[in-house]
Amino acid sequence: MALAPRPVRLSESDPSVSQLLLGIDAGLACSKQPTGVEWFAKSLLQELVMMQSAGGHHCRWHVYLPPFGNPGFRIPPHVVPHLRPDVNTLIKNPWLVARSWLDRLDALYLFGHLLPPGGVRGKVVVTVHDLAFDDYPDCYRPGVPERARAEVRAACARADRIVVPSEATRGGLVERYRYPLDRIDVILEGARTHFTPGEPGPLPERVREAMPEGPFILAVGRLDRRKNIERVIDAYRAVHAEGVPCAGLVIAGPDDSGAQGVRQRLAEGAVPGERIVTTGYVTEDELVALYRSAALLVYPSLAEGFGLPVLEAMACGTPVITSSVSSLPEVAGDAGILVDPTDTSAIATQIRRVLTDAALAQRLRDAGIARAAKLTWRSSAERLAASLQRAVVQ
């Protein structure tokens, strides 16, 4: 499957540099039910191998897959896949170290922040997606924030470069963990190509049954306490009680640390005639259909490394209300409505504005589509390739 390496130049301006040998730990890209971090890995990996197919970068990729790993797209012949043996997961790290030497890597890239033990050949670049465990430790299960801090400290001590998805995360690494600013690369995320305006397509069955009358309010994301879903429920109920026309509220995302709180809020304080549907995990096609069918996305997360649903919704032409904190203003730019995520009344006020002001909703749709067009996974992949190059030559 592998092609013999051909001597090429990495840069016309530096003729002394030969072809780079780069490895990617692609475990996160093979998730069967991807959400934010897994979509980051899957989308970037796909763009990297496509970019190499087009001859855009002078490097040779080795992709390290978990047992029976499948990223959901074909690995082209010039990219060398390696399937980890189907043994106890403890073998992963020593296997990865051994592969780095067998493949003579110049750099190894990880989609997460967990480094393998010492001994990796070449430079190591990791990804720190967010520092929410510092900002909102109560939103995590016991022990998780402490473990995450220790892991990020270890990454900052050993990684040659760190990739982050936002300036907010970059600033946190510099301020709290004292990692050098000039060794952190911001790689904004993108909307996948089929997240576009258009006909909705089939909605999840539970939504079709409960929302037959028209556009609804949409909340997307794992039922994580950071996602602030309980305040979204309260804001919807306030708007519904006022008689503002709306088919209901759809909450799309799998269970997480906040699932019990969301269910408790749904069971308490119901308003007569309200319609609230929780879908659980939805497929990619169902998610596109939800965005296209929704009157607006409400995403008042307390802390995010990026906030991919904001960009996906805008790409589909869905008006967006999101938080004025963390990375979310970076994602929304001037194309969304920013709100204090701790102020339920303010969230309700902005929902009411979008539902009752057709001109405002149309401006948000147009601005969101334009904003999303500026952020692509191809651009993200190009930035990652440049980051790995910098790691090798720094």
Side-chain angles (χ1 to χ4, degrees):
M1 183 176 293
L3 300 178
R6 175 175 60 87
V8 295
R9 300 300 184 193
L10 179 65
S11 170
E12 294 297 329
S13 61
D14 187 359
S16 65
V17 180
S18 298
Q19 183 183 46
L20 289 184
L21 299 175
L22 304 174
I24 299 180
D25 178 10
L28 283 172
C30 298
S31 171
K32 293 180 180 179
Q33 288 194 345
T35 54
V37 171
E38 293 86 5
W39 277 122
F40 175 91
K42 190 182 293 283
S43 302
L44 263 182
L45 179 62
Q46 184 171 17
E47 285 295 336
L48 282 169
V49 299
M50 289 174 61
M51 192 167 66
Q52 183 66 8
S53 296
H57 286 265
H58 303 304
C59 49
R60 182 175 175 80
W61 298 99
H62 292 264
V63 176
Y64 305 121
L65 301 165
F68 314 110
N70 179 9
F73 54 86
R74 189 182 69 86
I75 301 292
H78 59 273
V79 175
V80 186
H82 303 275
L83 200 65
R84 193 169 76 242
D86 183 22
V87 292
N88 189 293
T89 54
L90 293 176
I91 203 67
K92 173 187 173 180
N93 282 336
W95 180 83
L96 201 56
V97 172
R99 285 278 15 147
S100 75
W101 285 92
L102 289 169
D103 300 330
R104 300 168 49 240
L105 294 186
D106 294 301
L108 173 67
Y109 174 64
L110 295 91
F111 285 115
H113 62 253
L114 284 173
L115 286 96
V120 171
R121 187 190 193 279
K123 302 296 180 71
V124 178
V125 179
V126 302
T127 311
V128 175
H129 290 276
D130 64 71
L131 300 176
F133 52 83
D134 276 339
D135 298 317
Y136 292 94
D138 292 344
C139 290
Y140 292 83
R141 294 182 176 89
V144 171
E146 293 79 8
R147 184 170 67 249
R149 288 188 197 103
E151 291 166 353
V152 171
R153 279 196 295 270
C156 288
R158 292 180 46 211
D160 295 286
R161 294 192 78 82
I162 294 179
V163 164
V164 297
S166 64
E167 290 290 349
T169 304
R170 187 188 197 194
L173 281 177
V174 173
E175 179 182 351
R176 305 174 202 177
Y177 294 87
R178 300 292 186 263
Y179 196 77
L181 179 69
D182 62 357
R183 286 166 54 193
I184 305 174
D185 294 311
V186 177
I187 298 180
L188 299 178
E189 300 181 15
R192 283 153 278 159
T193 55
H194 54 293
F195 282 74
T196 59
E199 292 299 317
L203 290 165
E205 184 177 356
R206 295 180 68 182
V207 178
R208 293 199 305 270
E209 292 174 351
M211 308 287 176
E213 298 173 3
F216 46 80
I217 298 167
L218 177 64
V220 170
R222 289 183 175 276
L223 301 189
D224 177 333
R225 290 195 291 273
R226 283 186 300 123
K227 304 300 183 184
N228 212 14
I229 299 296
E230 291 171 48
R231 284 194 178 96
V232 176
I233 293 170
D234 291 344
Y236 159 70
R237 283 172 168 166
V239 171
H240 174 74
E242 295 172 7
V244 176
C246 176
L249 169 64
V250 175
I251 302 168
D255 284 2
D256 208 308
S257 62
Q260 183 177 351
V262 169
R263 292 194 177 95
Q264 183 174 348
R265 188 60 57 89
L266 290 173
E268 300 171 350
V271 177
E274 72 175 30
R275 289 176 178 170
I276 303 178
V277 175
T278 58
T279 68
Y281 184 82
V282 294
T283 67
E284 195 172 16
D285 288 340
E286 288 174 331
L287 184 57
V288 172
L290 286 168
Y291 285 134
R292 290 176 176 176
S293 300
L296 71 159
L297 172 76
V298 184
Y299 194 80
S301 180
L302 299 172
E304 290 292 329
F306 184 77
L308 190 55
V310 170
L311 186 63
E312 292 173 339
M314 292 193 300
C316 291
T318 308
V320 170
I321 298 170
T322 191
S323 300
S324 59
V325 300
S326 189
S327 63
L328 293 159
E330 295 178 52
V331 183
D334 60 1
I337 294 177
L338 303 182
V339 65
D340 178 352
T342 65
D343 188 339
T344 303
S345 177
I347 297 169
T349 294
Q350 298 305 329
I351 291 173
R352 187 185 309 110
R353 286 184 66 209
V354 176
L355 291 176
T356 59
D357 187 337
L360 171 62
Q362 188 59 52
R363 285 198 300 273
L364 291 171
R365 291 187 191 97
D366 295 340
I369 292 169
R371 171 65 177 161
K374 297 177 181 178
L375 300 177
T376 67
W377 283 114
R378 173 53 60 94
S379 175
S380 303
E382 290 171 349
R383 287 175 178 269
L384 177 57
S387 179
L388 293 171
Q389 176 181 338
R390 283 191 290 270
V392 172
V393 301
Q394 72 185 22

